[in-house]
Amino acid sequence: MVNVEYLRPRTLNEVLSMLSKYGEEAKIIAGGTDLMVRLKQETASPDYLIAIESLQELNYIRYDEDGLRIGALTKFHDIANSSIVRDKFPILHQAVSVLGTPLIRRQATIGGNLCNASPCADTGPPLLVLGARVKICAAGEEKSIPVEDLFIGPGQTCLDQNEMLTEIHIPPQNEGSKGIYLKMTRSHGADLAIVSVAASVLMDGDIAEEAKIALGSVALTPIRARNAEKLLSGNRLDTQLLDKSAQSAAMEAKPIDDVRSSSDHRKKIIKALVGRAIKQAADLEI
Amino acid sequence: MREIVLCVNGVDYDVKIDATDTLVDVLREELGLIGTKIFCNEGECGACTVLLDGKPVLSCMMLAADAQGRDVTTIEGIADQQTGELDPIQESFVEKSGMQCGVCTPGMILTSKALLEDNPNPTEKAVREALSGNLCRCGNYQRITECVLDSAEKIRSRK
């Protein structure tokens, strides 16, 4: 591998001042499950590695009336095992439980996963339908942005060189809303999603008071399928409407041909999965 | 180049490393502990699994420098270091043909060790899921699963 200097800051402030100082020449390494691949393939060649895996101040899961806050360095294993996440935000629990492999989940962090910004990220669609926001810090500054604004392209975030994602905040969800995450893979084992769908529905009898749909692996970033959502909101759900909405979601996506699947195949899967996800989220037996 | 101290299987070692040396490279090349295997070298196959403070990690995806101040346990470290008596999981693998070529075996055993500490009485499904990040190119999954279940019973009965 390339010639690099290893830095091990002890606090968040130290990280931020290193980022200010080294900017483009530095890369943060947390769990390493994405960056190590790139270092080995030499598609990333920083002069400095800022190693933050053991920074406990960013390793937490907190819940109160303001919602859920997860520190960027929280490992997926801990998020998957959290009873708070499982009970209050089950769609996130479902997603992190199928992310990577059990070994990757022991090491990989939610902050690293989001900053890696893969269009296939299992965290993307659920966080979009949950209306999550992320806290971004730089030396002397901090701001909060919707997770949707974080992703700007495959492998690209809106972060500047001196900025770091430190926390994910998920607001309390509407009472009675139910979320489902479905991931289509080539095999039953660990794999990247060919298509993934996150759906959250709030039913009032058989009317969908609110519907949110997000798709992964079928566009440059995880996306909300807003036209598909509009077709459902405020309406009685029946097979015809679900078909129409699922078809709309497939049209809103821009899937590609790659080693895992083709664009056409992905569109068919989107249609099937969106229909399935909405039915499960709405507890429909149609 | 920097000098660090790595604690592996209860022993402190002084090693010289580059910043980007992975833990598995240092274990194998510097310390001669070749029980830990490099297979995919990308974190997908689990052959490089070691225990870090008792928890499984992919040592090909970890900087050796990040292992400073932590306890590393490799496959060489789980038998009784004085008597050589095998860990019950190792025993089961020997008795019930848990190995074919042996490449996946150290990873399988260490991941199973962590599983059985969290869940001493797993179902077959739980074992298969816990091992889903450890790939066996020989396809010995059925026997491996039986070995883990067998060793779980052994461990429970010896308590």
Side-chain angles (χ1 to χ4, degrees):
Chain A
M1 274 194 273
V2 296
N3 218 0
V4 185
E5 193 172 326
Y6 173 88
L7 303 170
R8 184 136 142 187
R10 290 156 304 175
T11 65
L12 174 59
N13 283 336
E14 281 183 25
V15 180
L16 297 176
S17 83
M18 284 174 188
L19 285 175
S20 281
K21 186 171 173 192
Y22 298 116
E24 265 184 28
E25 295 162 13
K27 274 227 172 290
I28 287 176
I29 184 164
T33 52
D34 285 319
L35 185 60
M36 289 300 281
V37 179
R38 286 199 261 129
L39 288 174
K40 291 177 203 216
Q41 291 173 350
E42 296 184 8
T43 52
S45 48
D47 294 327
Y48 302 92
L49 282 173
I50 304 175
I52 60 170
E53 186 265 339
S54 50
L55 218 54
Q56 285 309 305
E57 70 180 280
L58 292 182
N59 182 3
Y60 55 84
I61 300 174
R62 295 179 190 141
Y63 178 70
D64 59 25
E65 64 277 352
D66 209 25
L68 185 72
R69 290 182 192 277
I70 307 178
L73 292 178
T74 310
K75 298 188 168 41
F76 285 113
H77 175 85
D78 295 328
I79 301 174
N81 283 349
S82 158
S83 53
I84 298 269
V85 175
R86 192 189 58 228
D87 295 339
K88 305 285 182 193
F89 303 91
I91 194 176
L92 182 60
H93 170 82
Q94 291 163 34
V96 301
S97 302
V98 296
L99 186 153
T101 69
L103 289 171
I104 288 178
R105 295 197 285 275
R106 287 271 191 182
Q107 213 158 325
T109 63
I110 188 167
N113 182 249
L114 291 175
C115 293
N116 190 53
S118 166
C120 305
D122 289 305
T123 47
L127 290 177
L128 289 182
V129 307
L130 289 170
R133 300 179 69 87
V134 290
K135 181 156 62 163
I136 296 176
C137 295
E141 307 168 4
E142 75 179 44
K143 64 185 179 190
S144 160
I145 63 169
V147 118
E148 204 165 350
D149 293 351
L150 176 69
F151 309 122
I152 59 175
Q156 293 178 301
T157 66
C158 65
L159 297 180
D160 281 332
Q161 289 303 324
N162 64 332
E163 289 179 326
M164 178 179 166
L165 188 156
T166 59
E167 183 184 86
I168 295 89
H169 174 229
I170 302 172
Q173 303 295 297
N174 286 324
E175 186 83 38
S177 68
K178 185 170 165 191
I180 297 287
Y181 180 69
L182 296 179
K183 177 181 183 179
M184 176 64 68
T185 53
R186 288 171 292 179
S187 70
H188 283 301
D191 200 3
L192 290 176
I194 300 175
V195 172
S196 66
V197 171
S200 174
V201 180
L202 176 62
M203 298 299 287
D204 182 11
D206 52 356
I207 307 281
E209 209 178 289
E210 183 188 70
K212 287 187 262 186
I213 303 169
L215 310 174
S217 305
V218 292
L220 297 175
T221 67
I223 57 168
R224 286 275 292 272
R226 289 196 156 86
N227 296 340
E229 293 175 357
K230 284 200 193 93
L231 287 170
L232 299 178
S233 290
N235 292 321
R236 174 170 289 108
L237 299 186
D238 61 28
T239 316
Q240 247 181 326
L241 186 62
L242 284 183
D243 272 352
K244 215 170 149 200
S245 171
Q247 179 60 28
S248 168
M251 299 308 293
E252 289 176 77
K254 294 191 170 25
I256 59 171
D257 296 337
D258 68 12
V259 295
R260 283 179 289 281
S261 182
S262 69
S263 171
D264 279 346
H265 187 223
R266 284 184 158 111
K267 288 201 162 152
K268 294 190 179 116
I269 298 173
I270 293 169
K271 194 160 178 244
L273 283 195
V274 167
R276 209 180 287 175
I278 297 286
K279 274 187 214 169
Q280 286 179 27
D283 286 320
L284 290 176
E285 277 164 25
I286 53 173
Chain B
M1 269 286 166
R2 54 154 68 188
E3 277 203 23
I4 64 168
V5 177
L6 282 184
C7 178
V8 184
N9 301 329
V11 178
D12 283 336
Y13 295 92
D14 291 313
V15 284
K16 283 203 183 70
I17 58 156
D18 283 330
T20 51
D21 283 345
T22 59
L23 178 58
V24 71
D25 279 336
V26 172
L27 290 171
R28 291 176 57 87
E29 306 295 326
E30 297 301 314
L31 303 185
L33 294 169
I34 57 173
T36 310
K37 310 301 180 196
I38 302 178
F39 211 20
C40 75
N41 205 21
E42 285 190 342
E44 302 231 339
C45 74
C48 68
T49 307
V50 300
L51 300 179
L52 190 72
D53 297 332
K55 307 293 180 198
V57 291
L58 299 161
S59 63
C60 78
M61 300 293 268
M62 190 172 167
L63 298 177
D66 271 351
Q68 289 176 87
R70 318 282 287 273
D71 285 325
V72 179
T73 308
T74 68
I75 190 67
E76 290 92 344
I78 64 169
D80 187 307
Q81 302 291 289
Q82 254 72 60
T83 66
E85 186 185 331
L86 294 179
D87 180 284
I89 307 176
Q90 289 172 306
E91 266 178 28
S92 293
F93 269 70
V94 168
E95 289 160 10
K96 288 183 157 289
S97 307
M99 294 160 288
Q100 289 189 29
C101 77
V103 167
C104 75
T105 308
M108 289 286 184
I109 291 177
L110 291 174
T111 303
S112 302
K113 192 167 168 68
L115 164 70
L116 295 182
E117 270 163 25
D118 280 344
N119 182 0
N121 194 4
T123 59
E124 179 177 334
K125 183 165 182 253
V127 172
R128 285 181 181 273
E129 256 176 37
L131 294 180
S132 59
N134 293 85
L135 302 183
C136 170
R137 290 295 300 271
C138 298
N140 204 25
Y141 295 106
Q142 184 58 40
R143 287 208 195 94
I144 289 167
T145 307
E146 284 165 11
C147 288
V148 178
L149 292 169
D150 179 71
S151 64
E153 208 184 294
K154 259 194 219 168
I155 294 169
R156 288 193 308 271
S157 69
R158 286 178 195 177
K159 284 236 161 87

